[in-house]
Amino acid sequence: NATARVNFSTPGLPDAVAQVSVPAGESRNPSATWKLAAGNHTVNVTISDIRPYDSNSSDDRATTSLVVLARPDLVMAAVVASNSRPYAGLNVTIQARVNNTGDREASGVVSFYDGPPVSGVLLGSKNITVAAHSSSSAYIGWNATGPGDHVLYAVVTDVYPAEANAANNQLDRTVTVRRRPAAPEPGGAIPGFGGLAALAGCAGPAAGPGFSD
């Protein structure tokens, strides 16, 4: 058997060392484990302390390059309403735009809520897939009911593969629902007014026969 010390090194991290014993005519695969940041890395491997004596040391070193991809990161970039001040009863399209700032494609579920996700009303959910360094959108239709301000939330969950940061997965948009204008009464009168008859009464008495300047 031959024995040796295998040293693995990469800039910025402690070296890793493995001891190997290799029978004649066979091979072994020592390894090192590091937690590398995303980016480009150079790994150097050196064999030393070889027993018995190694007659050719020219092949006792090797270098390789690694590219470590950043994990996906889905970011809720925008929540947009097709009408931010709709009248009650109108249909509104809600759009959520999701960016992926990572180096890998990722999928997830975009859920829309009227009110905070923990206590609001779920309006709908859509599956979404976003390519690396790209963006995609999810849409739902919402019937604007209940006059007043509605804070609509969009949140992306169930991200796969696991993303780098889940703290940027939620955003909200306020939509103000207005009361519908009162419908005219028969004859064109506006509620609260007397209509054409009342207007005629405001004109005063009509001039009769024999009226002169």
Side-chain angles (χ1 to χ4, degrees):
N1 290 2
T3 61
R5 180 177 186 267
V6 183
N7 188 84
F8 301 86
S9 65
T10 188
L13 290 174
D15 289 1
V17 177
Q19 298 289 338
V20 293
S21 178
V22 185
E26 297 186 18
S27 64
R28 292 293 184 266
N29 298 295
S31 63
T33 301
W34 287 302
K35 187 175 182 179
L36 299 173
N40 298 319
H41 299 270
T42 300
V43 177
N44 302 299
V45 182
T46 304
I47 303 174
S48 60
D49 299 337
I50 301 171
R51 299 289 185 273
Y53 176 73
D54 183 10
S55 60
N56 179 15
S57 61
S58 64
D59 54 3
D60 293 350
R61 296 176 180 271
T63 299
T64 189
S65 296
L66 299 177
V67 178
V68 178
L69 300 179
R71 285 191 290 167
D73 186 12
L74 298 190
V75 180
M76 187 61 67
V79 178
V80 180
S82 60
N83 187 341
S84 62
R85 291 177 54 82
Y87 285 113
L90 292 182
N91 291 323
V92 179
T93 299
I94 309 299
Q95 173 193 1
R97 189 176 77 247
V98 180
N99 295 344
N100 182 359
T101 62
D103 292 331
R104 296 184 62 186
E105 179 182 274
S107 60
V109 178
V110 177
S111 299
F112 298 84
Y113 296 86
D114 185 356
V118 294
S119 59
V121 177
L122 177 64
L123 302 177
S125 297
K126 296 291 183 179
N127 294 327
I128 195 170
T129 298
V130 190
H133 302 287
S134 186
S135 64
S136 188
S137 292
Y139 302 84
I140 64 162
W142 174 57
N143 185 264
T145 56
D149 289 340
H150 292 254
V151 183
L152 305 181
Y153 287 78
V155 56
V156 59
T157 58
D158 301 331
V159 179
Y160 181 84
E163 63 177 330
N165 179 19
N168 50 21
N169 288 17
Q170 178 177 301
L171 208 59
D172 62 78
R173 169 72 62 181
T174 299
V175 174
T176 301
V177 178
R178 297 180 289 170
R179 294 184 183 276
R180 281 184 173 274
E185 294 178 347
I190 299 174
F193 293 88
L196 295 177
L199 293 176
C202 294
F211 181 81
S212 60
D213 293 333

